[in-house]
Amino acid sequence: MAENVLELHGLTKRYGSHLAVDGAELSIAQGQIYGLVGLNGAGKTTIIRMITAQSIPTAGEIVLFGASSPRELNAVRARTGAMVETPSFYPYLSALENLEYYRLQRGIPGRHVAAEALEAVGLAGTGKKKFKHFSLGMKQRLGLALALMNRPDLLLLDEPINGLDPEGIVEFRNILLDLSRQRETTILISSHILPELSNLASCYGFIDKGVMLEQITAQALREKCRACLELQVGDVSKAALLLEQELGSVDYEVLPGGVIRLYGALDHPERVTQILVQGGVCLRSAENKGANLEDYFLTMIGGGRHA
Ligand code: ATP
């Protein structure tokens, strides 16, 4: 098992009587890209700010690279890079000049560092172009470059793809995938739109009103969201036999309680029900199941609300 880079235990943040984060449990293994998903105001930023020490927890524990005491935590935070709010860059400076300014301010050694960070986010070719002429996607990538200057082992990104157009989202996603593959950087990325993180996150944590609802791997989530026709039948063996005889090599699985999930023939549900009924199977219900990622999330937090 890979070592956990980050663990949160009962992490809580209270503002007056308002619980912004309520006993959050979370664990991120080395090399994972963890998608923290929640609607606006769910508590994502507050969690990230507590990890980066921009906010002091009311209760609970943060274990970062195995360290949990305040002194140790301060030391290991040097191994993290974060993009929480859009950093303020100088409009009349180029990408390189802006990064150089921050490098010197933060005391990061090495003149090559800024250029390397620009290379990693695909901004190496922007030359003298001033920041004020950058597109939103370029600005976000420069923010990411800033977070990468210390070559962090853990990258914390708060809604970095918020507001980007589809092309910008793909570009940003590819940069993160490269970082994950080439540098084995562990990444925590938050979003209020779950599909933005698909093809990127290897694990998801869902948060609503300060409460972590579920932590699930991307693979398990894909399985859960797979479209199927769910059949509740009297005699499972007989039903399965009929389906195989009539539909050929159809993909299905049998669940406890007389349930069959059929993953093929979804365009013709009436044919399926007809096969079963005419074959003498007691069909109690037939329901289209499986949702897209966004539906899954919205259903989990109570349905009906939109981000
Ligand atoms: P968003 O994407 O809108 O930033 P979020 O999931 O990051 O959403 P947070 O910013 O963490 O949510 O906010 C969680 C809750 O805590 C919200 O109800 C917010 O109003 C509240 N909150 C955040 N910061 C403060 C603060 N400094 N003082 C009081 N309440 C706060």
Side-chain angles (χ1 to χ4, degrees):
M1 255 295 270
E3 177 203 342
N4 280 338
V5 164
L6 176 70
E7 290 175 16
L8 306 180
H9 301 293
L11 194 69
T12 300
K13 180 71 187 183
R14 183 186 286 279
Y15 292 109
S17 62
H18 178 62
L19 265 177
V21 177
D22 186 2
E25 298 288 327
L26 175 154
S27 60
I28 306 181
Q30 156 73 43
Q32 253 180 357
I33 301 181
Y34 188 103
L36 181 62
V37 183
L39 299 181
N40 291 330
K44 307 179 296 294
T45 307
T46 306
I47 285 185
I48 294 176
R49 287 171 63 87
M50 286 192 279
I51 299 166
T52 57
Q54 290 167 287
S55 173
I56 300 166
T58 309
E61 187 185 37
I62 297 171
V63 186
L64 188 59
F65 301 107
S68 57
S69 74
R71 205 168 56 85
E72 286 176 324
L73 274 176
N74 268 343
V76 292
R77 281 195 175 102
R79 295 174 61 188
T80 66
M83 183 176 159
V84 180
E85 278 113 26
T86 310
S88 35
F89 289 114
Y90 290 97
Y92 291 96
L93 295 185
S94 69
L96 186 63
E97 288 164 344
N98 264 300
L99 286 196
E100 262 306 276
Y101 167 81
Y102 278 107
R103 183 181 75 79
L104 295 173
Q105 198 196 44
R106 292 180 185 181
I108 301 171
R111 285 185 66 90
H112 60 285
V113 163
E116 233 177 58
L118 288 181
E119 186 79 42
V121 301
L123 288 181
T126 52
K128 292 197 168 109
K129 192 176 180 118
K130 293 181 172 62
F131 176 77
K132 65 173 186 163
H133 294 130
F134 280 18
S135 67
L136 179 63
M138 291 167 76
K139 286 177 179 170
Q140 292 296 81
R141 281 189 277 152
L142 187 58
L144 177 59
L146 182 59
L148 287 175
M149 278 215 293
N150 60 336
R151 289 186 78 94
D153 295 317
L154 171 65
L155 194 54
L156 303 155
L157 306 172
D158 189 26
E159 302 250 11
I161 41 190
N162 196 2
L164 295 187
D165 58 22
E167 196 186 339
I169 292 175
V170 172
E171 278 172 0
F172 208 92
R173 185 186 287 157
N174 287 340
I175 293 167
L176 297 183
L177 287 170
D178 281 349
L179 285 170
S180 168
R181 287 187 201 122
Q182 292 165 11
R183 297 190 187 176
E184 295 180 2
T185 310
T186 306
I187 301 171
L188 167 62
I189 175 169
S190 76
S191 176
H192 63 283
I193 305 169
L194 179 55
E196 277 185 357
L197 301 181
S198 62
N199 305 323
L200 176 66
S202 51
C203 184
Y204 294 96
F206 296 109
I207 182 169
D208 187 42
K209 300 194 197 90
V211 178
M212 289 293 293
L213 299 176
E214 185 179 23
Q215 187 166 281
I216 184 170
T217 65
Q219 195 182 344
L221 183 60
R222 270 194 297 274
E223 289 286 317
K224 276 196 178 184
C225 291
R226 202 174 159 200
C228 69
L229 182 63
E230 192 170 285
L231 305 158
Q232 179 100 44
V233 294
D235 184 338
V236 172
S237 314
K238 191 173 173 186
L241 188 66
L242 277 167
L243 292 175
E244 283 183 24
Q245 278 171 351
E246 299 297 322
L247 298 174
S249 58
V250 68
D251 187 8
Y252 71 89
E253 66 177 332
V254 175
L255 302 183
V259 173
I260 294 181
R261 281 199 183 145
L262 189 64
Y263 296 104
L266 298 183
D267 294 340
H268 308 287
E270 68 293 336
R271 172 140 187 257
V272 174
T273 52
Q274 195 182 29
I275 290 168
L276 295 177
V277 173
Q278 287 183 351
V281 170
C282 167
L283 179 63
R284 299 203 175 96
S285 67
E287 200 182 337
N288 282 312
K289 283 267 170 97
N292 67 36
L293 295 179
E294 193 65 0
D295 286 345
Y296 178 81
F297 169 56
L298 292 171
T299 306
M300 187 169 46
I301 62 169
R305 294 198 287 145
H306 289 271

PDB file of all heavy atoms in Angstrom, residues 2-26:
ATOM      1  N   ALA A   2       0.519   2.195  -0.865  1.00  0.00           N
ATOM      2  CA  ALA A   2       1.283   3.433  -0.895  1.00  0.00           C
ATOM      3  C   ALA A   2       1.074   4.202   0.419  1.00  0.00           C
ATOM      4  O   ALA A   2       0.016   4.121   1.027  1.00  0.00           O
ATOM      5  CB  ALA A   2       0.815   4.269  -2.067  1.00  0.00           C
ATOM      6  N   GLU A   3       2.116   4.924   0.800  1.00  0.00           N
ATOM      7  CA  GLU A   3       2.040   5.714   2.035  1.00  0.00           C
ATOM      8  C   GLU A   3       1.044   6.859   1.825  1.00  0.00           C
ATOM      9  O   GLU A   3       0.949   7.421   0.743  1.00  0.00           O
ATOM     10  CB  GLU A   3       3.441   6.274   2.301  1.00  0.00           C
ATOM     11  CG  GLU A   3       3.555   7.183   3.499  1.00  0.00           C
ATOM     12  CD  GLU A   3       4.756   8.110   3.376  1.00  0.00           C
ATOM     13  OE1 GLU A   3       5.662   7.810   2.553  1.00  0.00           O
ATOM     14  OE2 GLU A   3       4.774   9.117   4.064  1.00  0.00           O
ATOM     15  N   ASN A   4       0.308   7.183   2.890  1.00  0.00           N
ATOM     16  CA  ASN A   4      -0.593   8.326   2.781  1.00  0.00           C
ATOM     17  C   ASN A   4       0.206   9.616   2.912  1.00  0.00           C
ATOM     18  O   ASN A   4       0.973   9.790   3.859  1.00  0.00           O
ATOM     19  CB  ASN A   4      -1.676   8.277   3.862  1.00  0.00           C
ATOM     20  CG  ASN A   4      -2.793   7.327   3.483  1.00  0.00           C
ATOM     21  OD1 ASN A   4      -2.981   7.029   2.306  1.00  0.00           O
ATOM     22  ND2 ASN A   4      -3.524   6.838   4.458  1.00  0.00           N
ATOM     23  N   VAL A   5       0.009  10.487   1.947  1.00  0.00           N
ATOM     24  CA  VAL A   5       0.687  11.773   1.975  1.00  0.00           C
ATOM     25  C   VAL A   5      -0.054  12.720   2.917  1.00  0.00           C
ATOM     26  O   VAL A   5       0.552  13.520   3.632  1.00  0.00           O
ATOM     27  CB  VAL A   5       0.731  12.343   0.538  1.00  0.00           C
ATOM     28  CG1 VAL A   5       1.060  13.812   0.521  1.00  0.00           C
ATOM     29  CG2 VAL A   5       1.728  11.558  -0.299  1.00  0.00           C
ATOM     30  N   LEU A   6      -1.367  12.593   2.919  1.00  0.00           N
ATOM     31  CA  LEU A   6      -2.182  13.477   3.757  1.00  0.00           C
ATOM     32  C   LEU A   6      -3.320  12.691   4.392  1.00  0.00           C
ATOM     33  O   LEU A   6      -3.972  11.880   3.735  1.00  0.00           O
ATOM     34  CB  LEU A   6      -2.773  14.602   2.882  1.00  0.00           C
ATOM     35  CG  LEU A   6      -3.733  15.567   3.582  1.00  0.00           C
ATOM     36  CD1 LEU A   6      -2.998  16.456   4.578  1.00  0.00           C
ATOM     37  CD2 LEU A   6      -4.459  16.450   2.560  1.00  0.00           C
ATOM     38  N   GLU A   7      -3.532  12.960   5.673  1.00  0.00           N
ATOM     39  CA  GLU A   7      -4.708  12.402   6.357  1.00  0.00           C
ATOM     40  C   GLU A   7      -5.341  13.509   7.187  1.00  0.00           C
ATOM     41  O   GLU A   7      -4.632  14.277   7.846  1.00  0.00           O
ATOM     42  CB  GLU A   7      -4.298  11.257   7.299  1.00  0.00           C
ATOM     43  CG  GLU A   7      -3.842  10.012   6.592  1.00  0.00           C
ATOM     44  CD  GLU A   7      -3.339   8.951   7.567  1.00  0.00           C
ATOM     45  OE1 GLU A   7      -3.614   9.064   8.780  1.00  0.00           O
ATOM     46  OE2 GLU A   7      -2.661   8.029   7.103  1.00  0.00           O
ATOM     47  N   LEU A   8      -6.641  13.569   7.153  1.00  0.00           N
ATOM     48  CA  LEU A   8      -7.378  14.490   8.031  1.00  0.00           C
ATOM     49  C   LEU A   8      -8.240  13.644   8.944  1.00  0.00           C
ATOM     50  O   LEU A   8      -8.908  12.713   8.477  1.00  0.00           O
ATOM     51  CB  LEU A   8      -8.271  15.432   7.221  1.00  0.00           C
ATOM     52  CG  LEU A   8      -7.604  16.246   6.113  1.00  0.00           C
ATOM     53  CD1 LEU A   8      -8.625  17.123   5.411  1.00  0.00           C
ATOM     54  CD2 LEU A   8      -6.450  17.085   6.668  1.00  0.00           C
ATOM     55  N   HIS A   9      -8.192  13.944  10.219  1.00  0.00           N
ATOM     56  CA  HIS A   9      -9.003  13.200  11.183  1.00  0.00           C
ATOM     57  C   HIS A   9      -9.855  14.180  11.987  1.00  0.00           C
ATOM     58  O   HIS A   9      -9.310  15.018  12.719  1.00  0.00           O
ATOM     59  CB  HIS A   9      -8.115  12.393  12.134  1.00  0.00           C
ATOM     60  CG  HIS A   9      -7.243  11.411  11.419  1.00  0.00           C
ATOM     61  ND1 HIS A   9      -7.756  10.320  10.748  1.00  0.00           N
ATOM     62  CD2 HIS A   9      -5.895  11.352  11.244  1.00  0.00           C
ATOM     63  CE1 HIS A   9      -6.766   9.634  10.207  1.00  0.00           C
ATOM     64  NE2 HIS A   9      -5.633  10.246  10.477  1.00  0.00           N
ATOM     65  N   GLY A  10     -11.147  14.088  11.804  1.00  0.00           N
ATOM     66  CA  GLY A  10     -12.075  14.929  12.569  1.00  0.00           C
ATOM     67  C   GLY A  10     -11.816  16.420  12.415  1.00  0.00           C
ATOM     68  O   GLY A  10     -12.086  17.209  13.324  1.00  0.00           O
ATOM     69  N   LEU A  11     -11.296  16.804  11.254  1.00  0.00           N
ATOM     70  CA  LEU A  11     -10.924  18.220  11.078  1.00  0.00           C
ATOM     71  C   LEU A  11     -12.163  19.110  11.073  1.00  0.00           C
ATOM     72  O   LEU A  11     -13.120  18.864  10.339  1.00  0.00           O
ATOM     73  CB  LEU A  11     -10.135  18.397   9.776  1.00  0.00           C
ATOM     74  CG  LEU A  11      -9.414  19.732   9.656  1.00  0.00           C
ATOM     75  CD1 LEU A  11      -8.262  19.828  10.655  1.00  0.00           C
ATOM     76  CD2 LEU A  11      -8.885  19.946   8.245  1.00  0.00           C
ATOM     77  N   THR A  12     -12.122  20.118  11.915  1.00  0.00           N
ATOM     78  CA  THR A  12     -13.307  20.956  12.132  1.00  0.00           C
ATOM     79  C   THR A  12     -12.918  22.427  12.118  1.00  0.00           C
ATOM     80  O   THR A  12     -11.869  22.805  12.642  1.00  0.00           O
ATOM     81  CB  THR A  12     -13.935  20.609  13.514  1.00  0.00           C
ATOM     82  OG1 THR A  12     -14.304  19.233  13.491  1.00  0.00           O
ATOM     83  CG2 THR A  12     -15.154  21.463  13.817  1.00  0.00           C
ATOM     84  N   LYS A  13     -13.771  23.241  11.487  1.00  0.00           N
ATOM     85  CA  LYS A  13     -13.580  24.689  11.539  1.00  0.00           C
ATOM     86  C   LYS A  13     -14.916  25.350  11.823  1.00  0.00           C
ATOM     87  O   LYS A  13     -15.896  25.148  11.096  1.00  0.00           O
ATOM     88  CB  LYS A  13     -13.017  25.209  10.213  1.00  0.00           C
ATOM     89  CG  LYS A  13     -12.793  26.704  10.186  1.00  0.00           C
ATOM     90  CD  LYS A  13     -11.626  27.116  11.066  1.00  0.00           C
ATOM     91  CE  LYS A  13     -11.495  28.617  11.193  1.00  0.00           C
ATOM     92  NZ  LYS A  13     -10.313  29.005  11.991  1.00  0.00           N
ATOM     93  N   ARG A  14     -14.930  26.117  12.872  1.00  0.00           N
ATOM     94  CA  ARG A  14     -16.161  26.797  13.265  1.00  0.00           C
ATOM     95  C   ARG A  14     -15.937  28.304  13.164  1.00  0.00           C
ATOM     96  O   ARG A  14     -14.910  28.823  13.629  1.00  0.00           O
ATOM     97  CB  ARG A  14     -16.486  26.407  14.719  1.00  0.00           C
ATOM     98  CG  ARG A  14     -17.758  26.967  15.275  1.00  0.00           C
ATOM     99  CD  ARG A  14     -17.886  26.619  16.750  1.00  0.00           C
ATOM    100  NE  ARG A  14     -18.223  25.231  16.984  1.00  0.00           N
ATOM    101  CZ  ARG A  14     -19.469  24.745  16.905  1.00  0.00           C
ATOM    102  NH1 ARG A  14     -20.469  25.537  16.602  1.00  0.00           N
ATOM    103  NH2 ARG A  14     -19.691  23.478  17.138  1.00  0.00           N
ATOM    104  N   TYR A  15     -16.860  28.994  12.504  1.00  0.00           N
ATOM    105  CA  TYR A  15     -16.854  30.459  12.510  1.00  0.00           C
ATOM    106  C   TYR A  15     -18.045  30.884  13.350  1.00  0.00           C
ATOM    107  O   TYR A  15     -19.187  30.758  12.881  1.00  0.00           O
ATOM    108  CB  TYR A  15     -17.003  31.022  11.097  1.00  0.00           C
ATOM    109  CG  TYR A  15     -15.815  30.767  10.199  1.00  0.00           C
ATOM    110  CD1 TYR A  15     -15.899  29.865   9.138  1.00  0.00           C
ATOM    111  CD2 TYR A  15     -14.614  31.435  10.393  1.00  0.00           C
ATOM    112  CE1 TYR A  15     -14.808  29.632   8.307  1.00  0.00           C
ATOM    113  CE2 TYR A  15     -13.517  31.216   9.559  1.00  0.00           C
ATOM    114  CZ  TYR A  15     -13.627  30.313   8.525  1.00  0.00           C
ATOM    115  OH  TYR A  15     -12.549  30.094   7.706  1.00  0.00           O
ATOM    116  N   GLY A  16     -17.824  31.317  14.563  1.00  0.00           N
ATOM    117  CA  GLY A  16     -18.951  31.645  15.453  1.00  0.00           C
ATOM    118  C   GLY A  16     -19.802  30.407  15.650  1.00  0.00           C
ATOM    119  O   GLY A  16     -19.300  29.354  16.049  1.00  0.00           O
ATOM    120  N   SER A  17     -21.088  30.508  15.289  1.00  0.00           N
ATOM    121  CA  SER A  17     -21.958  29.339  15.462  1.00  0.00           C
ATOM    122  C   SER A  17     -21.996  28.487  14.183  1.00  0.00           C
ATOM    123  O   SER A  17     -22.645  27.446  14.152  1.00  0.00           O
ATOM    124  CB  SER A  17     -23.378  29.803  15.820  1.00  0.00           C
ATOM    125  OG  SER A  17     -23.873  30.583  14.750  1.00  0.00           O
ATOM    126  N   HIS A  18     -21.303  28.941  13.137  1.00  0.00           N
ATOM    127  CA  HIS A  18     -21.374  28.244  11.851  1.00  0.00           C
ATOM    128  C   HIS A  18     -20.242  27.225  11.703  1.00  0.00           C
ATOM    129  O   HIS A  18     -19.059  27.583  11.786  1.00  0.00           O
ATOM    130  CB  HIS A  18     -21.306  29.279  10.715  1.00  0.00           C
ATOM    131  CG  HIS A  18     -21.323  28.671   9.356  1.00  0.00           C
ATOM    132  ND1 HIS A  18     -22.378  27.921   8.890  1.00  0.00           N
ATOM    133  CD2 HIS A  18     -20.408  28.692   8.358  1.00  0.00           C
ATOM    134  CE1 HIS A  18     -22.114  27.505   7.667  1.00  0.00           C
ATOM    135  NE2 HIS A  18     -20.926  27.960   7.323  1.00  0.00           N
ATOM    136  N   LEU A  19     -20.622  25.965  11.464  1.00  0.00           N
ATOM    137  CA  LEU A  19     -19.616  24.925  11.259  1.00  0.00           C
ATOM    138  C   LEU A  19     -19.274  24.869   9.772  1.00  0.00           C
ATOM    139  O   LEU A  19     -20.030  24.315   8.976  1.00  0.00           O
ATOM    140  CB  LEU A  19     -20.178  23.565  11.694  1.00  0.00           C
ATOM    141  CG  LEU A  19     -19.865  23.082  13.104  1.00  0.00           C
ATOM    142  CD1 LEU A  19     -20.556  21.756  13.364  1.00  0.00           C
ATOM    143  CD2 LEU A  19     -18.363  22.944  13.328  1.00  0.00           C
ATOM    144  N   ALA A  20     -18.158  25.450   9.400  1.00  0.00           N
ATOM    145  CA  ALA A  20     -17.777  25.458   7.974  1.00  0.00           C
ATOM    146  C   ALA A  20     -17.257  24.083   7.554  1.00  0.00           C
ATOM    147  O   ALA A  20     -17.490  23.643   6.435  1.00  0.00           O
ATOM    148  CB  ALA A  20     -16.713  26.516   7.726  1.00  0.00           C
ATOM    149  N   VAL A  21     -16.523  23.422   8.453  1.00  0.00           N
ATOM    150  CA  VAL A  21     -16.047  22.058   8.209  1.00  0.00           C
ATOM    151  C   VAL A  21     -16.326  21.269   9.483  1.00  0.00           C
ATOM    152  O   VAL A  21     -15.958  21.686  10.578  1.00  0.00           O
ATOM    153  CB  VAL A  21     -14.539  22.029   7.867  1.00  0.00           C
ATOM    154  CG1 VAL A  21     -14.054  20.595   7.696  1.00  0.00           C
ATOM    155  CG2 VAL A  21     -14.263  22.820   6.590  1.00  0.00           C
ATOM    156  N   ASP A  22     -16.991  20.127   9.302  1.00  0.00           N
ATOM    157  CA  ASP A  22     -17.514  19.401  10.462  1.00  0.00           C
ATOM    158  C   ASP A  22     -16.922  17.983  10.537  1.00  0.00           C
ATOM    159  O   ASP A  22     -17.437  17.052   9.927  1.00  0.00           O
ATOM    160  CB  ASP A  22     -19.052  19.340  10.323  1.00  0.00           C
ATOM    161  CG  ASP A  22     -19.715  18.735  11.536  1.00  0.00           C
ATOM    162  OD1 ASP A  22     -19.011  18.402  12.500  1.00  0.00           O
ATOM    163  OD2 ASP A  22     -20.961  18.605  11.508  1.00  0.00           O
ATOM    164  N   GLY A  23     -15.797  17.857  11.212  1.00  0.00           N
ATOM    165  CA  GLY A  23     -15.196  16.529  11.447  1.00  0.00           C
ATOM    166  C   GLY A  23     -14.764  15.799  10.186  1.00  0.00           C
ATOM    167  O   GLY A  23     -15.030  14.614  10.037  1.00  0.00           O
ATOM    168  N   ALA A  24     -14.067  16.514   9.310  1.00  0.00           N
ATOM    169  CA  ALA A  24     -13.698  15.903   8.019  1.00  0.00           C
ATOM    170  C   ALA A  24     -12.671  14.781   8.176  1.00  0.00           C
ATOM    171  O   ALA A  24     -11.682  14.930   8.895  1.00  0.00           O
ATOM    172  CB  ALA A  24     -13.154  16.977   7.077  1.00  0.00           C
ATOM    173  N   GLU A  25     -12.947  13.661   7.503  1.00  0.00           N
ATOM    174  CA  GLU A  25     -12.014  12.535   7.426  1.00  0.00           C
ATOM    175  C   GLU A  25     -11.611  12.422   5.962  1.00  0.00           C
ATOM    176  O   GLU A  25     -12.465  12.405   5.077  1.00  0.00           O
ATOM    177  CB  GLU A  25     -12.700  11.217   7.831  1.00  0.00           C
ATOM    178  CG  GLU A  25     -13.208  11.171   9.251  1.00  0.00           C
ATOM    179  CD  GLU A  25     -12.084  11.060  10.276  1.00  0.00           C
ATOM    180  OE1 GLU A  25     -11.058  10.432   9.960  1.00  0.00           O
ATOM    181  OE2 GLU A  25     -12.254  11.618  11.378  1.00  0.00           O
ATOM    182  N   LEU A  26     -10.325  12.315   5.727  1.00  0.00           N
ATOM    183  CA  LEU A  26      -9.873  12.238   4.333  1.00  0.00           C
ATOM    184  C   LEU A  26      -8.481  11.611   4.319  1.00  0.00           C
ATOM    185  O   LEU A  26      -7.698  11.828   5.237  1.00  0.00           O
ATOM    186  CB  LEU A  26      -9.854  13.668   3.788  1.00  0.00           C
ATOM    187  CG  LEU A  26      -9.332  14.019   2.415  1.00  0.00           C
ATOM    188  CD1 LEU A  26      -9.999  15.308   1.935  1.00  0.00           C
ATOM    189  CD2 LEU A  26      -7.832  14.218   2.406  1.00  0.00           C
TER     190      LEU A  26
END
